[in-house]
Amino acid sequence: MVMKFQAPKGVSEYAPPRSLHFEVVRESLISAAVQAGYLLMELPVFEDTELFARGVGETTDVVTKEMYTFEDRGGRSITLRPEGTAGVMRAVIEHGLDRGQLPVKVWYSGAFFRAERPQAGRYRQFYQVGIEAIGLNDPEIDAEVIATADRSLKKLGLKDYRLEITSLGDSQSRKAHRVDLDKFIAGLDLDEATRTKAQVNPLRLFDDKRESVQKQMENAPLLLNYLSEESTAHFNAVQSLLQSFGIDFLINKRMVRGLDYYTGTTFEFIHEKLGAQSGIGGGGRYDGLMKQLGGADLSGIGYGMGVDRILLACQSEEIELAPLGKLDLFAIALGEEAKLKVAQIVNQLRNAGLTVDMAYGDRALKSAMKMADKSGAKFSLVLGADELQMESIAVKNMDSGESQSVTISSLEEFLRDS
RNA sequence: GUGGGCGUAGCUCAGCUGGUAGAGCACUCGGUUGUGGUCCGAGAUGUCGCGGGUUCGAGCCCCGUCGCUCACCCCA
């Protein structure tokens, strides 16, 4: 018996026709970034393990139990990237961009990896499109980043999502809050596991789904009330900018982010029709990260949008994702002689930059026309013995069903103009 | 790592209290001479996830195993 292979557990992969929808979503996310002046940063999918440990945070769940880590042949510890920001920082530093004109604005797109138990919208290999703006600590750039994320969703026609924002303040604000929060939690009635969780990151308890915990956390001290004057002013400025852009948002005083590097403005896009994994994108400021990784002491802000989840969101809203490119022409040959000619014409049109496909083999005309129909081509042409002699072909408009006669030499021009 | 659900044609699934398998979609061909989208007809396809057990007999019952899936956790 032959072994049957299947994709590794929990990976997201897309075969036609769904891959076309995936492509539309990804391209839409990318174009929003490009529109806002961000430039491509193409990165490796694996990095030195230490980069993520230091960048994302030694105690985070991502680093402690969700990374794909292995040793390469030179004995180096390598990790498949679980997120994008650390790699971007590394590359910015490595290429000296942090010493050039600021802000550095880059976008990236690709696969990320986390060794988690798969579930709806959560995969071990998943796709993100993200941007990072480095070297400018101005509310203006915060608002730009959030607006760009929002635009990338709106471009697709998404409606049933909400934007939640908060500010995690500067490190002093967080320290003061942490002291009080720890004190508060010490007085709660919690089980052992929850207590350990709170020791690693007490903010986590705000996110706990159990009602017993929620109830106890109702009067917990909120970080937002501990913000310094400066942080508050910054956060207020971001809010007024968003309002002036006409972007709706909610302030979530209990927002929790899983990565340690976040500071100040933090945000999340949540889709209302998805399952438990409803976060379709998120991001925030990470003002100490660059320095932490050995670069200049620059602030930064960025986001990561989940392509897989956004595709699911589009489906849940029944949004029609029109395929990007359509065929300009679908060509059909009748008879041996005509085949050569059609192959030649098709090749020539492709060289000229047109998008063309054809029927192969000896298909009945009816069946070939069905293929033409399904291909979504704008025009079809049938070339047989008659046309070979006449040098002119009937080109059929697949929408109207009407045909018109075009000479072979003017075919390219005809397709280009219609 | 912890729970629940499910594994029958390429896809979505049906199969009553056990008697060796079906539907829709998709696919291929056709409805006479070289033109699709509707309609009609015909056809192909399954070791019923795998292994064992009970039984005269198992897709249906029992055990195991693998896989998928949803949720906890976590997050895109």
Side-chain angles (χ1 to χ4, degrees), chain A residues 81-374:
Chain A
R81 59 183 182 187
E83 60 92 53
T85 305
V88 172
M89 293 307 114
R90 192 227 82 223
V92 165
I93 295 166
E94 190 163 337
H95 294 275
L97 300 181
D98 54 331
R99 291 152 51 151
Q101 191 191 78
L102 301 175
V104 175
K105 298 194 352 177
V106 294
W107 67 270
Y108 60 86
S109 162
F112 294 85
F113 309 84
R114 285 184 203 168
E116 300 180 274
R117 199 72 174 258
Q119 124 187 29
R122 188 173 73 186
Y123 309 101
R124 291 183 170 180
Q125 172 174 327
F126 57 97
Y127 294 85
Q128 266 185 248
V129 171
I131 69 172
E132 310 290 352
I134 300 146
L136 184 64
N137 185 12
D138 187 309
E140 200 181 352
I141 196 77
D142 297 37
E144 174 183 291
V145 166
I146 295 173
T148 302
D150 187 60
R151 189 177 302 115
S152 65
L153 298 175
K154 286 207 174 99
K155 276 168 77 102
L156 284 163
L158 285 166
K159 289 193 176 68
D160 302 333
Y161 68 90
R162 63 177 189 273
L163 163 62
E164 295 187 352
I165 65 170
T166 192
S167 173
L168 301 180
D170 50 39
S171 62
Q172 271 191 316
S173 316
R174 281 198 301 283
K175 263 180 210 154
H177 172 251
R178 172 93 187 230
V179 170
D180 286 2
L181 184 58
D182 280 340
K183 240 182 265 173
F184 176 84
I185 290 172
L188 300 182
D189 176 31
L190 301 169
D191 59 81
E192 196 62 33
T194 313
R195 224 163 253 299
T196 331
K197 181 164 112 170
Q199 268 163 21
V200 176
N201 182 359
L203 293 173
R204 281 285 158 71
L205 294 201
F206 283 115
D207 220 18
D208 201 300
K209 289 183 184 172
R210 289 169 297 181
E211 208 173 316
S212 60
V213 178
Q214 277 307 315
K215 199 142 207 163
Q216 297 193 68
M217 290 299 286
E218 257 169 33
N219 298 316
L222 297 171
L223 177 50
L224 216 46
N225 299 332
Y226 286 73
L227 294 195
S228 64
E229 214 171 293
E230 201 187 331
S231 289
T232 305
H234 185 103
F235 188 45
N236 287 339
V238 172
Q239 290 176 54
S240 1
L241 278 162
L242 289 178
Q243 274 157 7
S244 79
F245 295 171
I247 294 174
D248 293 328
F249 60 87
L250 287 158
I251 294 174
N252 181 351
K253 297 180 176 179
R254 291 152 183 268
M255 189 192 296
V256 181
R257 305 246 67 210
L259 312 179
D260 275 359
Y261 53 63
Y262 286 118
T263 62
T265 311
T266 314
F267 56 94
E268 223 166 47
F269 290 88
I270 295 158
H271 197 268
E272 273 135 27
K273 288 185 176 165
L274 294 183
Q277 309 303 323
S278 55
I280 53 177
R285 209 157 245 303
Y286 42 84
D287 288 344
L289 183 59
M290 178 73 94
K291 191 178 175 195
Q292 166 110 6
L293 296 176
D297 187 7
L298 296 178
S299 65
I301 180 165
Y303 65 66
M305 304 300 283
V307 184
D308 310 275
R309 288 186 186 175
I310 292 170
L311 174 57
L312 290 171
C314 287
Q315 285 170 341
S316 78
E317 290 196 38
E318 291 173 356
I319 290 170
E320 262 199 56
L321 299 167
L324 299 169
K326 262 194 167 185
L327 290 179
D328 296 305
L329 178 73
F330 190 93
I332 299 165
L334 290 176
E336 282 308 309
E337 255 181 287
K339 268 189 183 174
L340 293 173
K341 186 70 182 170
V342 164
Q344 189 212 325
I345 291 172
V346 165
N347 193 256
Q348 199 179 331
L349 291 173
R350 286 173 181 162
N351 284 343
L354 290 160
T355 307
V356 183
D357 203 356
M358 59 185 283
Y360 304 97
D362 295 305
R363 230 165 227 284
L365 179 58
K366 176 169 181 161
S367 147
M369 281 306 293
K370 280 190 176 176
M371 286 186 75
D373 187 37
K374 269 181 290 195

